[in-house]
Amino acid sequence: AKEDGRGAFRFFEPSMDEQMRARRDLEMDLGSALARGELALFYQPLVDTEQGRVGGFEALLRWQHPVRGTVSPAAFIPLAEETGMIAAIGAWVIRRACADAACWPLPVKVAVNLSPVQFRDRSLPRIVAEALAESGLDPARLELEITESLLLLDDEKVLEILHGLRAQGVRIAMDDFGTGYSSLSYLRRFPFDKIKIDQSFVRGMMEQEDCAAIVSTVVSLGRLLGMSVNAEGVETREQFLALREQGCGEVQGYLFSPPRPAEEVVAMLGSIRQD
Ligand code: C2E
Ligand code: CA
Ligand code: CA
Ligand code: CA
């Protein structure tokens, strides 16, 4: 009623209300999701291109909502970050991933995604140390993936936490490389163990020259800086062969397997082979 004569406002008002209500509902559900056991880790194989076998798995969070079905992390992680719930969820992910990996029949890596919000206080190195101690997982098998948005916080504190994690023997990977504003300068500020080329570049690498150029440049950059390079979102054999040819050490994507439930890790270890 406020904006008489501006129909558009009246038209959008109810849907805004609904959106807010839906968000609030989702938020309340997320609050109890962890306690109700609705969160699960799925695992996607990381394929070592030199060895031609699975060198590890990336843990990807899934929420099996009793009514909505599977909710994408793209939908609930931002919500968890805004509400602060990511602290508890993130700690659970680290513990779960370490416990799972400690039971795998081969000592392959487990990669865990971290939110920048998990760096707001200094508890992360302790959470990781406890997860490693409880599970008995060799720290060298744990890889933590962070995105550039973390380093936008531009904080001595963030660097200190990263160094604290590294001091425990875990590896640090920069995820979604190339999508931010100053990826290159971040590589100088913190010595990452691995760079993960964002899947948008991999998707276009066989058709678009700019994507192809970016992919091959990042692969050689990684080599020059002594960092491992992963290409994610590999969906075709052509992409895989080109990446291996260029010396990209690790790939992952639907070509090999989508993320699958923890129970299927052993089967994936045995079945995924690339000559
Ligand atoms: P990400 O870390 O960049 O993960 C890669 C995403 O690409 C995953 O989506 C994966 O399922 C998907 N993917 C893998 N291979 C292919 C492929 O060949 N083609 C295509 N089109 N997609 C592929 P997912 O699982 O939906 O996760 C989305 C994002 O949610 C992740 O992006 C990550 O940023 C975030 N996320 C997932 N789990 C966690 C978590 O435990 N903690 C935090 N903080 N973030 C998480
Ligand atoms: Ca990731
Ligand atoms: Ca990524
Ligand atoms: Ca991403």
Side-chain angles (χ1 to χ4, degrees), residues 4 7 15 29-30 34 36 94 99 112 127 160 170 184 244 261:
D4 277 345
S15 90
D29 288 356
L30 186 57
L34 198 53
R36 288 193 201 151
I94 294 167
V112 172
I127 290 167
E160 200 182 304
V170 308
L184 291 175
R244 188 177 63 178

Side-chain angles (χ1 to χ4, degrees), residues 44-113:
Q44 182 177 42
L46 306 169
V47 177
D48 181 325
T49 60
E50 276 172 41
Q51 310 276 328
R53 60 172 175 240
V54 176
F57 293 89
E58 178 175 0
L60 292 154
L61 194 54
R62 295 291 179 265
W63 179 12
Q64 317 279 1
H65 190 283
V67 179
R68 293 167 205 257
T70 304
V71 185
S72 158
F76 73 84
I77 298 273
L79 191 64
E81 289 176 335
E82 285 163 36
T83 56
M85 284 185 272
I86 194 71
I89 294 173
W92 177 84
V93 168
I94 294 167
R95 281 202 312 273
R96 184 73 259 156
C98 289
D100 284 349
C103 296
W104 295 343
L106 291 173
V108 297
K109 280 176 308 196
V110 63
V112 172
N113 292 283

Side-chain angles (χ1 to χ4, degrees), residues 158-223:
V158 167
L159 289 184
E160 200 182 304
I161 295 172
L162 285 174
H163 283 290
L165 292 166
R166 171 71 78 58
Q168 296 182 38
V170 308
R171 293 162 49 92
I172 312 286
M174 186 192 270
D175 204 354
D176 300 350
F177 186 77
T179 56
Y181 294 104
S182 36
S183 312
L184 291 175
S185 68
Y186 295 137
L187 290 185
R188 291 193 59 210
R189 252 193 289 164
F190 185 80
F192 291 90
D193 298 288
K194 180 186 282 185
I195 309 170
K196 296 188 74 170
I197 306 175
D198 190 68
Q199 46 185 284
S200 57
F201 303 117
V202 175
R203 195 170 304 132
M205 67 177 283
M206 304 312 290
E207 296 85 26
Q208 292 154 248
E209 269 172 38
D210 53 350
C211 286
I214 290 167
V215 167
S216 66
T217 303
V218 175
V219 171
S220 22
L221 180 70
R223 203 173 14 229

